[in-house]
Amino acid sequence: MASVATAELPISNLTGYRFVDLPDRDELRQPLRDACIARGLKGLILLSHEGLNYFVAGTPEGTSSFKRFLNEQEGCDGTGTSSFDNAASDGTSSSSSSSSLSAHSSSSSVPPPPPSVLSGRFVDIPSKESFSATAPFKRMLVKLKGEIISLGVDGVKPATRTGKRLEPEVLKQWLDEGKPCVLLDTRNDYEIRIGAFDNAVDLEMDSFKEFPAHVNNDHHPKLPARDSSVPVVTYCTGGVRCEKATAVMLEAGFEDVYQLEGGILRYFEKCGGAHWRGDCFVFDDRVALTTQLTPSEGATMCFNCRAPLTLSDQASPLFVYEKSCPYCAEKKSCHQADSRTEGEGGLDQRMAAAVTEDDGAEKKSCHQADSRTEGEGLDQRMAAAVTEDDDDDGGGGGGGGPRKSSSKVKRFHVQKSPALAPSPSSPLSSSSSSSAEAPDVKKTKLDSD
């Protein structure tokens, strides 16, 4: 597995989250951003009063130093040691980090934060690391949100009540032995199309916010009875969605509820691809990761509706480069609306299709979104997701997936890439249906789950 950086994959991608009360959420924003900038990192951090969710990318030295900063073993500028004495070391000395980051810290005038800023709340956050050829982000953003993963239900507090944690190795043992259990996928339908556990329950959700309605259905055809003795094991990309999903299930009366510790990515790290089919969708420019935690070479995204596409999808006659894919070809797309003449009401259609971005602060049409520069498009994708689903405020997990129609536009943007355009003389082969065997196609898009 890609557990260390290589010459081909030199970029470290680090994700993590923690549910913890943050009454000083706003005051944490600048120190966290400064710490990332000083280390040369790019990515997205979501801060809410319920916790922290981050996805940053850079050199392995930079991401390791950022973990030491969260453990309060280094100052904001990458040098020094905090007065917080109980932080557990990740095995790397701050002195070596200081020298490796000299290029960044020498130009930084940011002073170390006072010890009270982090106050030990982010020490030993479990993290997941993978590697890629290039950084999947162009900028560093820290956003203030109502939730680090949007569920839309008041009173759900994973910090105080959540499901039992099941280590990846234990789940694999259960599956090897055929132990009765219900594997419940808490991700969105477009993520599950890229890959999932064998025989897992798919609730066919467009958004994680639909999850409570499924759980509270007394006669759901896909879920066991609430008093069933068969354990339910929930899973998602990185674990953050399951924190809330299991809390909702416990509140609804389900008794034996587990969450896969560290999510799919931790399972890949510990167990490889046993009992898994396909790849794992992620919310960044890589689009999907293989079971070896390397970027999938075949996955890309539809230019029009932003749906993730496998090679099989791209081989479909309904896939038209920069226009449509099998999931939007028969729908009235924004592309069609924007190409109408004004005499036919095109202007009205474009106005109706305008996208409200960043909590209503910015409105842009679908046509404008598709013509953005790479830097601007990436900011939109980063605001849409980190590691998990978040239709409303983009964070920790499926936060923006494919668009369902011109009136409900999700927030992803795929850059124009000539490498994706099949030439007339060499069309995509329909026999290459597995994303694990995909050719080298360029893709763009920002899990943590």
Side-chain angles (χ1 to χ4, degrees):
M1 297 182 196
S3 57
V4 295
T6 64
E8 293 77 20
L9 303 173
I11 300 300
S12 167
N13 301 281
L14 188 71
T15 65
Y17 70 88
R18 172 164 289 171
F19 285 98
V20 58
D21 289 338
L22 299 178
D24 55 341
R25 175 199 67 173
D26 296 12
E27 288 71 31
L28 293 170
R29 182 180 197 174
Q30 196 61 45
L32 284 166
R33 185 178 186 277
D34 291 341
C36 291
I37 295 299
R39 289 158 175 80
L41 302 179
K42 297 174 182 179
L44 176 61
I45 296 177
L46 298 184
L47 277 171
S48 79
H49 292 299
E50 70 176 6
L52 167 85
N53 192 359
Y54 71 83
F55 188 166
V56 295
T59 65
E61 295 82 7
T63 55
S64 292
S65 178
F66 179 68
K67 287 195 290 184
R68 290 193 294 275
F69 167 71
L70 294 180
N71 281 339
E72 301 189 40
Q73 296 167 321
E74 286 184 2
C76 189
D77 63 352
T79 62
T81 301
S82 163
S83 62
F84 186 78
D85 296 326
N86 296 325
S89 171
D90 63 1
T92 310
S93 68
S94 60
S95 59
S96 63
S97 169
S98 176
S99 61
S100 67
L101 292 170
S102 58
H104 301 298
S105 59
S106 61
S107 62
S108 173
S109 60
V110 180
S116 59
V117 171
L118 301 185
S119 303
R121 290 170 292 183
F122 305 139
V123 170
D124 290 339
I125 291 180
S127 61
K128 290 169 287 296
E129 186 176 27
S130 61
F131 297 89
S132 59
T134 59
F137 316 111
K138 296 294 187 291
R139 301 182 184 183
M140 186 64 232
L141 298 179
V142 181
K143 297 179 70 69
L144 303 180
K145 293 296 179 181
E147 301 178 74
I148 60 173
I149 169 63
S150 286
L151 183 64
V153 176
D154 294 333
V156 177
K157 295 186 178 298
T160 58
R161 190 190 190 197
T162 190
K164 294 174 283 188
R165 300 181 186 278
L166 190 68
E167 292 295 331
E169 297 91 338
V170 177
L171 175 60
K172 180 180 181 299
Q173 181 180 349
W174 285 13
L175 298 177
D176 288 344
E177 297 172 351
K179 177 182 172 70
C181 68
V182 175
L183 271 174
L184 178 58
D185 199 322
T186 65
R187 300 174 301 157
N188 297 331
D189 54 3
Y190 55 88
E191 300 173 75
I192 296 174
R193 288 200 302 264
I194 299 298
F197 277 109
D198 294 333
N199 303 315
V201 173
D202 175 7
L203 296 178
E204 302 179 35
M205 298 185 295
D206 290 336
S207 164
F208 184 51
K209 291 182 179 180
E210 299 173 12
F211 186 80
H214 286 280
V215 170
N216 290 310
N217 182 344
D218 292 336
H219 305 287
H220 199 290
K222 292 187 176 182
L223 295 177
R226 297 177 185 179
D227 59 352
S228 171
S229 61
V230 177
V232 176
V233 181
T234 65
Y235 72 90
C236 57
T237 308
V240 64
R241 265 177 283 196
C242 291
E243 299 272 8
K244 287 193 172 183
T246 54
V248 170
M249 295 188 76
L250 291 171
E251 186 65 26
F254 288 86
E255 297 178 357
D256 202 10
V257 180
Y258 294 82
Q259 55 183 307
L260 177 59
E261 179 69 7
I264 299 164
L265 300 184
R266 181 63 56 80
Y267 183 90
F268 285 176
E269 177 185 346
K270 300 294 184 180
C271 306
H275 306 286
W276 181 271
R277 53 174 176 79
D279 296 329
C280 178
F281 177 83
V282 291
F283 290 91
D284 59 58
D285 285 3
R286 297 169 297 174
V287 182
L289 296 181
T290 70
T291 57
Q292 302 299 307
L293 293 176
T294 58
S296 172
E297 295 181 347
T300 186
M301 297 185 65
C302 175
F303 185 84
N304 178 55
C305 74
R306 283 64 165 166
L309 306 175
T310 64
L311 271 184
S312 179
D313 295 326
Q314 297 168 60
S316 167
L318 296 178
F319 174 72
V320 180
Y321 175 63
E322 290 195 351
K323 289 188 177 181
S324 64
C325 74
Y327 305 106
C328 68
E330 297 179 357
K331 297 179 181 179
K332 185 182 296 183
S333 68
C334 292
H335 176 84
Q336 292 171 319
D338 283 346
S339 65
R340 289 177 179 160
T341 63
E342 288 199 15
E344 295 172 332
L347 181 60
D348 291 341
Q349 289 294 328
R350 289 195 300 276
M351 293 175 65
V355 182
T356 301
E357 292 294 341
D358 199 10
D359 299 327
E362 180 182 353
K363 291 187 177 181
K364 294 186 180 293
S365 72
C366 297
H367 178 78
Q368 289 170 323
D370 283 349
S371 63
R372 282 189 179 140
T373 64
E374 182 173 354
E376 291 170 330
L378 183 63
D379 285 347
Q380 187 177 0
R381 295 193 302 279
M382 289 170 65
V386 178
T387 50
E388 286 299 329
D389 174 30
D390 195 311
D391 292 353
D392 187 35
D393 54 4
R403 288 199 300 243
K404 298 301 178 183
S405 68
S406 60
S407 62
K408 182 181 178 183
V409 180
K410 303 287 184 176
R411 295 168 290 180
F412 281 107
H413 181 70
V414 178
Q415 301 305 321
K416 296 181 179 180
S417 175
L420 285 176
S423 64
S425 60
S426 59
L428 286 170
S429 171
S430 60
S431 63
S432 301
S433 60
S434 171
S435 59
E437 301 173 356
D440 187 16
V441 266
K442 293 181 67 176
K443 52 199 181 287
T444 311
K445 180 185 165 219
L446 176 70
D447 112 17
S448 162
D449 179 304

